[in-house]
Amino acid sequence: MPIATSANTRAVVEELLRRIGEGNPERIAEMYAEQGDWKLAWPEAEHGRTATPWIRHRSTRADAAAHYRELAEYHVPEDVATEVERILVDGSDAVVVGEIRQTARTTGRAYKARFALHLTVADGLVTRHHVYEDSLAVAQAFEAKDR
C-alpha cells in the first residue's frame, strides 16, 4: 500500500473542500473510498433523528452522497457558509478546523457551529471522515418551538 505524503493528503482535502463548496453530492462522494469510517460526534441517546437525519454514522461512498443530499435538503441554500480556518496535515491524516453558518429549513433559525473534521486519505481517497461539531447549536436550530 502506498504511503500518503502530507502534500498528497493536502491536495485531496483541498479538492474535497472545493467540491463541498460546489454542492454536488455525487461529485463530492467521488472523493470517498467505496468503504470508509464515517462518524459524527453527537449524543446518540439524546439525538432526535427526525429533525437531523443527516447526522448519523455512515460507511460507503453512496452514504457520503446521501449525507450531502440530506444536508442540503434540511438547510436553506442561500444561507450556508463555511469558514475554514486551518488545515493541519500529518502524513495521511488531516484536520480541518472552522465554523459553519447555516439556517434550518424547518424552523428558519440560523446557527453557527464550530467544527473539527478529521480526515484520513489513502490512495487519493478519503477513508476516514470524523466530524466534531457544536451539536447543541445544531439541535437548538432544529428544535420544535413547543418544547
Side-chain angles (χ1 to χ4, degrees):
M1 175 191 295
I3 297 173
T5 67
S6 292
N8 292 350
T9 299
R10 179 173 290 279
V12 170
V13 170
E14 288 175 351
E15 177 62 13
L16 173 67
L17 295 174
R18 188 184 70 71
R19 290 185 188 197
I20 290 170
E22 288 175 353
N24 181 321
E26 283 67 33
R27 291 254 313 131
I28 298 166
E30 291 172 356
M31 298 299 299
Y32 290 88
E34 285 295 334
Q35 292 291 315
D37 178 18
W38 182 304
K39 293 192 172 125
L40 290 97
W42 192 271
E44 294 286 336
E46 300 170 20
H47 176 39
R49 298 239 184 253
T50 56
T52 56
W54 72 92
I55 299 177
R56 61 184 172 87
H57 300 318
R58 303 183 187 252
S59 61
T60 68
R61 181 179 287 163
D63 285 342
H67 169 82
Y68 290 104
R69 279 192 300 274
E70 291 167 4
L71 190 61
E73 178 184 339
Y74 284 85
H75 291 89
V76 177
E78 300 81 20
D79 292 336
V80 173
T82 300
E83 180 182 348
V84 172
E85 297 165 0
R86 299 266 187 287
I87 301 173
L88 308 168
V89 179
D90 182 16
S92 62
D93 288 298
V95 176
V96 180
V97 178
E99 181 178 78
I100 57 171
R101 292 179 294 283
Q102 303 202 73
T103 298
R105 189 182 300 267
T106 55
T107 65
R109 283 193 221 112
Y111 67 92
K112 291 193 272 189
R114 306 275 316 144
F115 74 88
L117 171 61
H118 178 194
L119 301 167
T120 301
V121 174
D123 298 326
L125 297 171
V126 175
T127 60
R128 175 187 302 154
H129 178 116
H130 288 190
V131 178
Y132 307 93
E133 69 181 352
D134 181 355
S135 57
L136 180 59
V138 179
Q140 287 175 333
F142 283 88
E143 191 173 72
K145 289 191 181 225
D146 61 348
R147 290 183 106 191

